[in-house]
Amino acid sequence: MSLRVTFVAAARSSVPQAERFEDDRPLDQAGWGEVERAAPELLPLAAADLRYCSPAPRSRATGDGLGYAPLVQLGLRDCDMGRWRGLTLGEAMAREPEAVDAWLTEPRTAPHGGESLVDFISRVGGWLDTRPVEDGCRVVAVAEPSVIRAALVYVLKAPPPTYWNIDVRPLSTTAVTGRAGRWNLRFDGVSAQHSRA
């Protein structure tokens, strides 16, 4: 028994330099434009057996904009950043440089008073492991890029610092297949036959 979970990264709600921890701002005009442009390619995922999203406004709006009508899942929420919630990385660094350094280098610490990186990865992995398994079941989950990065570290059983080396672009898709405790990363590229056309 295995299932396929396709993660769709939420559209942006701001330029990358202005991204905030646990950003709860809605999609801006540019984000809606990204959703509209990506819709023709991503709309087929609406046929998934189960459709989910994180509780973040931009994830919910992305899922709705793509026609998924997703169910909100608390297990897909962004990392709890404690007192850094709403700050940019630069703002947190200006206020607490040693704490930010510790957070970036020690995955079991939570100097901000929220979740550690290890706890975040475990929570997202726990969500993945508790999906209902029916052979061939297809799931789509719209989430923040950080949540997808955590899921990939969990799926690959990679060391937690690997999280910092994964780049998830807005409206990109990442698929995993398997079941609890046994996941595989799946790449669906263009076949050689199609690429020659």
Side-chain angles (χ1 to χ4, degrees), residues 93-142:
M93 182 66 89
R95 293 178 187 188
E96 302 179 56
E98 296 84 12
V100 172
D101 284 342
W103 175 66
L104 292 171
T105 58
E106 300 169 26
R108 295 190 183 284
T109 65
H112 43 62
E115 271 179 306
S116 71
L117 182 60
V118 168
D119 290 342
F120 176 46
I121 292 166
S122 295
R123 173 173 48 82
V124 173
W127 177 86
L128 190 59
D129 281 347
T130 56
R131 293 309 87 212
V133 178
E134 291 183 27
D135 206 24
C137 182
R138 294 170 303 143
V139 175
V140 65
V142 181

Side-chain angles (χ1 to χ4, degrees), residues 7 128 150-158 176-177 182-185:
F7 289 99
L128 190 59
L152 293 176
V153 171
Y154 183 81
V155 163
L156 296 172
K157 297 180 171 97
V176 299
T177 58
R182 190 172 179 153
W183 294 99
N184 297 298
L185 182 58

